[in-house]
Amino acid sequence: MKRTKKPPRLFRESIPSRRYERKILKRIPLAHEREYLESLYRREGESHVREAELPNKDVAHLRRLAKAVKHNRGMLQPVKLGLLAFVAGAGLVFLAFFMNPLLSSAVESGLESAFVAQSELQGFSLRLFSAGVSFDSLQVADRNRPMRNLFEVYDANVQLDLGQLLRGRIVIQDFDAGELRFGRERSVTGALPDDHPAQVARGDAGGAERSELLENAGEVVQEGTDELLSLDPQEILASELARLRTPAVVDEQIAFIRSEVTRTRDEIAAIEAATGEFRDVAESLLETDIRSIDSVERLVVLREDSEGAVEDARSLLDRSASLTAEVGQSRVRAEEAVRAVAEAVNNDVSGIQERIPSASDVLRGPVASFIEPRLMAFVEPYRDNVDTVLEAVAWLQNRSEGREATSGIARRGRTITFPSVGYPRFLLERAAAGAATPAVRYQAELLSVSSDPEMVSTPTTARYEQRHNGHSAVVNAVFETRRSVSTRFDLDLALEAQPIRLNIPNAPFSFTGLDGSFDLTAEARLVETGGGELREELVARLRIVPEELRFSSAGFIEERVESVIERAGIIEIDIGSPAPAGERAVRTNLDEPIREEIAAFLSEQRDIIVEEVEAGVRRQLDEQRARYEEELDQLLAVYSDVQSAAEEARSLADEALARRAALEARVAEVRGEVEDRARAEAEAARLEAERRAREEAESAAEDAEERVREEAGRVIDSIRSPF
Amino acid sequence: MFAVLTRVVAALNANRRPGEIASACSFAVLLALLPAGNLIWISLFAVAFLVKVNLGIVLLLTAVLSPAAVLADPTLDSIGFRVLSMPAMQSFFTMLYNAPVAPLTGFNNTLVPGALIAGAVAWFPVFFLARALVQLYRNTLRVKIIRSPFMQWLARLPLVRRLQNVAARARSVYEWAG
């Protein structure tokens, strides 16, 4: 048998008419559904009734109607409200269990980004309704010294401005810490890994340029008293000998002289050979007594034979003259070489004095020159801390830039501003820590740390005051991050009657340290000079009252130094940085007395050293010079040989030429005699010939006359008897 | 989008009060006029989520009307500026401006008060108009549409049947959730 389903309880068999109309019928908006329901129910008196048994189809329809009626009841959606309530409850549970760890982690992350070092926050607790935060301890490591903490804060209670917190701004009205510590050692390193976002961001951003105090410090110490006191004559001598130029010059000139000697000797041999050859050639000319020769023929033969000797003599003379000229040039070069050696020797000797430090030059501020780099090294970590704080504030500003809570309206419209008290996105109005016990009383305050310093009129200020058994320390520091103000950091420091125990290894004069007390007043500033560079200015006066001085050894200098310090009573150290050009940033009252005491001693020591070194150098130079002069003597001897050979050749050639001239004269003389004789003979011959010619002519004339007469007779005969 | 459309069609035909759809239309107009992203808009949307209005219609109409609402910006700006400049209201607005959460509402942007006023003024006309239209549809048009040959043909398509089943399941879940 098929089982019939039960209709929903809303549609009971009998429903009061008032309820039927108001609670059911009215909540069925669709007309056909209402008609359907009306078809099931009929009015009986004050009620509406239906059949007891309904078919399943009607039951299903009624169920749908019941759902619709239920839905159309009321305005709110209970399921969604429940869902919302559940989400809210879950949120509260989440906040209760996870908010503090999450916020703690976020705070640590923020501090790590700001200070670029590990941060540890413990016991963090947020009080939502009172807008307060408390924590047991906060440690932030020093990025420059990872095994130390930059600061530690214990038992802190932070009061936030709830109104501003709801507007997305963190305004710390009061930060009260039970204990504050600086620079304490850590058990684990506080450096962040290289790939940490804060490290990466720091690498990208880069810090402002700043002048380096330490860069120029210590120069004087390097070449100063330590150096002077540790001078080793043997070492200086070795150094001086190593830098001598003379041996090299001497070697060079000796090589030159040897080449000149060799070359000149070759010339001498050549001219001697030429002289010998000439002598052979001109032997007949030179050995013959020309006056005794009367024969023209002999003289002519002799002259013809001596033609070659004359040419050779002239050649020999030219060669001799050339050799003499070359020797002259060589001598000039040799003289230059001598001068070069002399100059090298002078140079080598003259630099020694200058190269050995002088007590009067070096001992300018022996104490200051030693203290200066150490003071700057002492100040360096604090300067790094200032940089760290300035960069942390800058990080805060950059992070908050453009992140002011807004309504998020993208469409255009005008934003009307109304009078209001403006707050930056982050503001720490005041943080304080302090303690007061019979022995120690200290108070530290930090004011106005802001993400928008332009909005907050006061700069970030840190104050610290401590009194302890008669010692006091007062620090006032202003970290200025407003762009309109050029002084970025301003520090006033005053320390009084602070105990001091200095242990200084490697100090000059065997000084190892002192015990006593000191007062310090200091003013430090970081001033922006434009172009992003920060100039550091430091003016400080340190007054040390020594009670015990320690030296590692005893000696003349140590005694004098101790005596000077005892006479002074107080060691006064003045620091003024940046120092004027050529001057030190540090001055002390000990420098001049110590300089005077020691200068005399050092001067004597130096004179001894200079004398010793100069003697050693001169010995070496004398050896070099002797070696050179030996070679030079050889050259001069060769020059002498050259002169002899040239002279011999020249005299031989001159003699040959003289003889040749005599020969020419003799030839002329003999030729005159012969010509006179020939002329006389010729005259006689001419006269004889004339006589003979005349006689012959007369004879011929007579013959001719005879032949003419005969001819004339024959002609006359012919005429007379032509046939 | 399909789910939203399904919900819209289901709401029109379901046994729900016409006021649910009409108030959804009014909410949609208000949300479309208001610049989004501020606390007022979020609050209004949360209210729409919690009260019995048809969320599908709210979402659909807001999405459709929002681009068009930009055209009304000059008018809204003018209204808002007048309101924000009223001397009598300055102290109130200053107090509001300095209140913790109020700036997140963006009330000092001229579009916000302008849109609020315009939306409030338009609320009831839109409500009554939409309700009348829903009633007109349910009483007259719905039957005609269902009985039209096109819808008969469409209803016989397998794909449409399958979609109907899916829509029915989605509707049942929606109804279960209220």
Side-chain angles (χ1 to χ4, degrees):
Chain A
M1 182 182 161
K2 195 175 180 182
R3 191 180 164 190
T4 54
K5 290 181 180 175
K6 279 180 71 178
R9 279 199 303 170
L10 182 67
F11 297 108
R12 288 191 290 267
E13 281 184 43
S14 175
I15 305 168
S17 293
R18 186 184 171 84
R19 176 182 169 81
Y20 174 79
E21 283 168 4
R22 289 191 175 179
K23 302 287 184 185
I24 297 175
L25 206 58
K26 203 175 176 182
R27 289 176 179 167
I28 298 174
L30 293 178
H32 65 275
E33 294 288 358
R34 280 198 303 272
E35 286 168 8
Y36 167 75
L37 191 63
E38 293 278 24
S39 68
L40 291 180
Y41 282 87
R42 63 184 182 282
R43 187 175 182 120
E44 288 184 0
E46 291 299 317
S47 300
H48 275 73
V49 293
R50 63 166 170 82
E51 297 295 326
E53 293 293 328
L54 291 173
N56 283 346
K57 186 183 168 189
D58 288 333
V59 170
H61 200 152
L62 284 177
R63 282 186 175 173
R64 285 202 300 276
L65 276 178
K67 274 188 183 176
V69 169
K70 195 177 170 187
H71 173 84
N72 291 333
R73 191 168 55 198
M75 283 299 294
L76 292 174
Q77 301 205 47
V79 176
K80 287 183 180 174
L81 274 173
L83 193 67
L84 192 69
F86 174 77
V87 169
L92 283 174
V93 170
F94 176 82
L95 287 178
F97 285 98
F98 300 106
M99 182 184 63
N100 284 338
L102 284 174
L103 279 177
S104 176
S105 174
V107 170
E108 283 181 350
S109 174
L111 289 168
E112 284 175 358
S113 296
F115 291 100
V116 199
Q118 294 276 4
S119 302
E120 290 104 25
L121 181 61
Q122 289 171 346
F124 181 86
S125 173
L126 174 70
R127 299 183 302 277
L128 266 180
F129 297 106
S130 62
V133 170
S134 62
F135 56 82
D136 296 337
S137 76
L138 168 65
Q139 299 179 351
V140 175
D142 186 345
R143 70 180 189 200
N144 300 305
R145 296 177 297 168
M147 291 310 291
R148 286 185 179 278
N149 280 328
L150 188 64
F151 62 86
E152 298 168 21
V153 182
Y154 296 96
D155 302 327
N157 194 11
V158 182
Q159 189 58 47
L160 298 162
D161 185 330
L162 181 61
Q164 297 303 325
L165 193 63
L166 288 171
R167 298 179 73 163
R169 298 169 182 153
I170 300 171
V171 176
I172 299 172
Q173 294 171 324
D174 194 21
F175 185 116
D176 189 18
E179 192 179 352
L180 185 64
R181 299 281 182 194
F182 297 100
R184 288 221 295 202
E185 286 191 4
R186 293 170 59 90
S187 55
V188 292
T189 179
L192 293 176
D194 289 341
D195 57 349
H196 192 280
Q199 289 276 38
V200 175
R202 185 194 179 195
D204 292 343
E209 293 285 332
R210 68 177 190 193
S211 58
E212 287 295 333
L213 287 176
L214 203 54
E215 257 178 19
N216 300 321
E219 279 179 7
V220 185
V221 170
Q222 291 297 319
E223 61 179 8
T225 52
D226 283 349
E227 187 183 347
L228 195 62
L229 288 167
S230 61
L231 287 180
D232 179 3
Q234 292 307 316
E235 194 180 325
I236 296 172
L237 178 59
S239 165
E240 288 297 327
L241 292 180
R243 65 185 303 147
L244 286 182
R245 283 275 302 129
T246 303
V249 174
V250 165
D251 286 343
E252 189 183 330
Q253 299 308 330
I254 284 175
F256 162 71
I257 287 172
R258 283 179 179 166
S259 73
E260 288 292 301
V261 167
T262 306
R263 193 175 58 77
T264 311
R265 278 184 176 155
D266 291 345
E267 292 283 342
I268 291 170
I271 201 164
E272 281 176 349
T275 306
E277 283 173 15
F278 176 73
R279 187 174 282 115
D280 292 342
V281 170
E283 189 177 6
S284 58
L285 181 64
L286 294 171
E287 290 178 357
T288 306
D289 183 6
I290 294 168
R291 303 299 303 176
S292 61
I293 302 173
D294 294 328
S295 165
V296 173
E297 289 78 14
R298 273 197 66 197
L299 283 170
V300 168
V301 169
L302 186 60
R303 191 175 71 173
E304 285 172 0
D305 289 347
S306 67
E307 282 294 329
V310 168
E311 290 298 317
D312 289 348
R314 287 191 183 124
S315 168
L316 192 62
L317 275 175
D318 290 344
R319 200 162 176 176
S320 170
S322 166
L323 184 61
T324 305
E326 281 181 16
V327 166
Q329 289 171 0
S330 175
R331 195 181 286 276
V332 169
R333 288 197 292 272
E335 285 168 359
E336 283 174 2
V338 170
R339 277 198 297 276
V341 171
E343 191 179 345
V345 169
N346 285 336
N347 287 341
D348 285 340
V349 173
S350 63
I352 295 173
Q353 286 274 359
E354 285 78 19
R355 283 192 288 274
I356 296 177
S358 162
S360 58
D361 290 343
V362 168
L363 271 176
R364 286 177 302 185
V367 179
S369 62
F370 176 75
I371 288 174
E372 187 173 279
R374 283 154 184 82
L375 267 177
M376 295 310 168
F378 177 75
V379 171
E380 189 73 12
Y382 297 100
R383 295 160 70 233
D384 289 340
N385 289 347
V386 170
D387 281 351
T388 302
V389 173
L390 283 172
E391 284 177 24
V393 175
W395 173 87
L396 189 65
Q397 290 170 16
N398 291 337
R399 184 160 174 75
S400 303
E401 220 165 59
R403 295 189 57 177
E404 187 66 24
T406 62
S407 60
I409 294 169
R411 276 158 56 187
R412 287 183 180 179
R414 281 174 281 178
T415 300
I416 311 295
T417 54
F418 297 93
S420 68
V421 179
Y423 281 96
R425 187 166 165 74
F426 178 87
L427 174 64
L428 169 61
E429 289 181 344
R430 179 179 176 272
T437 66
V440 179
R441 186 168 69 82
Y442 80 89
Q443 177 71 34
E445 254 189 338
L446 181 63
L447 304 172
S448 291
V449 179
S450 162
S451 62
D452 188 349
E454 310 293 340
M455 190 179 277
V456 181
S457 56
T458 52
T460 302
T461 307
R463 296 187 188 128
Y464 181 82
E465 191 174 341
Q466 181 185 6
R467 306 215 178 270
H468 169 61
N469 291 338
H471 316 311
S472 72
V474 179
V475 183
N476 276 305
V478 176
F479 299 87
E480 182 60 81
T481 47
R482 283 179 293 182
R483 288 181 181 83
S484 56
V485 183
S486 60
T487 303
R488 291 288 177 219
F489 173 70
D490 194 343
L491 171 81
D492 284 325
L493 171 68
L495 305 178
E496 282 181 16
Q498 297 287 330
I500 186 171
R501 183 178 177 82
L502 282 177
N503 288 309
I504 311 170
N506 305 320
F509 318 127
S510 304
F511 181 71
T512 57
L514 61 80
D515 291 345
S517 61
F518 75 97
D519 297 341
L520 172 66
T521 57
E523 290 178 24
R525 279 184 202 83
L526 279 177
V527 182
E528 191 167 343
T529 57
E533 189 175 342
L534 294 177
R535 190 183 74 239
E536 296 166 329
E537 296 174 355
L538 174 64
V539 178
R541 166 162 277 210
L542 178 64
R543 289 164 55 87
I544 301 173
V545 181
E547 289 165 8
E548 184 190 341
L549 300 170
R550 292 189 293 278
F551 291 86
S552 62
S553 63
F556 172 81
I557 292 178
E558 287 74 18
E559 283 174 14
R560 304 318 304 158
V561 170
E562 191 169 6
S563 162
V564 166
I565 296 174
E566 281 173 359
R567 281 205 305 274
I570 296 173
I571 302 172
E572 291 182 345
I573 301 170
D574 289 308
I575 305 162
S577 177
E583 292 185 23
R584 280 193 204 88
V586 174
R587 287 186 212 80
T588 76
N589 62 336
L590 300 181
D591 284 302
E592 191 55 27
I594 288 180
R595 192 193 74 77
E596 286 173 359
E597 287 284 342
I598 297 170
F601 172 76
L602 292 179
S603 184
E604 280 176 23
Q605 298 299 311
R606 181 181 179 277
D607 289 346
I608 294 168
I609 290 167
V610 168
E611 194 178 332
E612 199 172 321
V613 171
E614 278 190 347
V617 169
R618 284 190 188 284
R619 272 197 303 278
Q620 175 69 19
L621 293 178
D622 288 345
E623 284 174 19
Q624 296 296 327
R625 196 181 287 168
R627 193 159 65 88
Y628 173 72
E629 283 172 356
E630 189 179 330
E631 297 286 340
L632 189 64
D633 288 345
Q634 282 189 26
L635 182 62
L636 293 175
V638 171
Y639 285 158
S640 174
D641 293 346
V642 167
Q643 291 294 345
S644 313
E647 188 60 36
E648 185 183 350
R650 192 162 47 244
S651 66
L652 192 60
D654 286 344
E655 187 182 348
L657 289 174
R659 292 232 170 204
R660 167 71 182 187
L663 178 62
E664 289 293 337
R666 182 64 186 159
V667 167
E669 183 184 343
V670 170
R671 185 176 285 163
E673 288 175 4
V674 169
E675 279 177 358
D676 290 346
R677 199 182 305 142
R679 202 175 292 118
E681 285 175 1
E683 188 60 31
R686 187 180 64 84
L687 292 173
E688 179 65 21
E690 283 177 356
R691 186 186 60 81
R692 282 181 189 166
R694 201 165 41 247
E695 286 173 359
E696 284 174 5
E698 287 172 357
S699 166
E702 286 173 2
D703 286 345
E705 198 176 274
E706 185 64 32
R707 274 190 307 267
V708 168
R709 253 183 241 112
E710 285 175 3
E711 191 63 35
R714 270 187 310 262
V715 169
I716 293 167
D717 289 345
S718 63
I719 295 168
R720 284 175 185 161
S721 63
F723 300 108
Chain B
M1 192 63 192
F2 178 73
V4 172
L5 279 172
T6 306
R7 285 163 73 173
V8 170
V9 173
L12 282 172
N13 296 299
N15 203 358
R16 298 280 193 270
R17 285 178 302 194
E20 265 187 41
I21 296 167
S23 53
C25 292
S26 296
F27 263 116
V29 169
L30 186 54
L31 289 172
L33 286 175
L34 262 176
N38 57 75
L39 203 56
I40 291 177
W41 193 95
I42 294 166
S43 305
L44 282 172
F45 187 81
V47 170
F49 181 76
L50 290 174
V51 299
K52 283 179 180 168
V53 298
N54 191 288
L55 210 55
I57 289 175
V58 173
L59 293 173
L60 184 69
L61 272 184
T62 305
V64 169
L65 293 176
S66 286
V70 178
L71 299 173
D73 277 357
T75 311
L76 300 180
D77 173 68
S78 172
I79 297 169
F81 186 73
R82 285 188 183 187
V83 172
L84 290 171
S85 306
M86 286 167 71
M89 300 290 283
Q90 290 305 300
S91 57
F92 170 71
F93 286 135
T94 303
M95 184 269 291
L96 208 59
Y97 189 73
N98 288 286
V101 186
L104 297 177
T105 63
F107 79 94
N108 57 331
N109 185 293
T110 51
L111 290 183
V112 175
L116 267 180
I117 290 167
V121 169
W123 176 277
F124 288 103
V126 170
F127 178 82
F128 290 120
L129 179 67
R131 197 172 69 170
L133 287 173
V134 170
Q135 283 170 343
L136 177 70
Y137 166 78
R138 285 180 176 176
N139 296 336
T140 315
L141 295 175
R142 177 176 171 273
V143 178
K144 288 182 179 174
I145 290 169
I146 288 171
R147 288 178 185 170
S148 69
F150 173 73
M151 288 304 289
Q152 296 290 325
W153 171 78
L154 200 66
R156 283 198 295 273
L157 290 176
L159 178 66
V160 175
R161 284 190 178 180
R162 212 172 296 160
L163 288 173
Q164 273 180 329
N165 290 336
V166 171
R169 275 202 290 276
R171 192 173 57 194
S172 66
V173 171
Y174 170 70
E175 283 174 352
W176 173 83

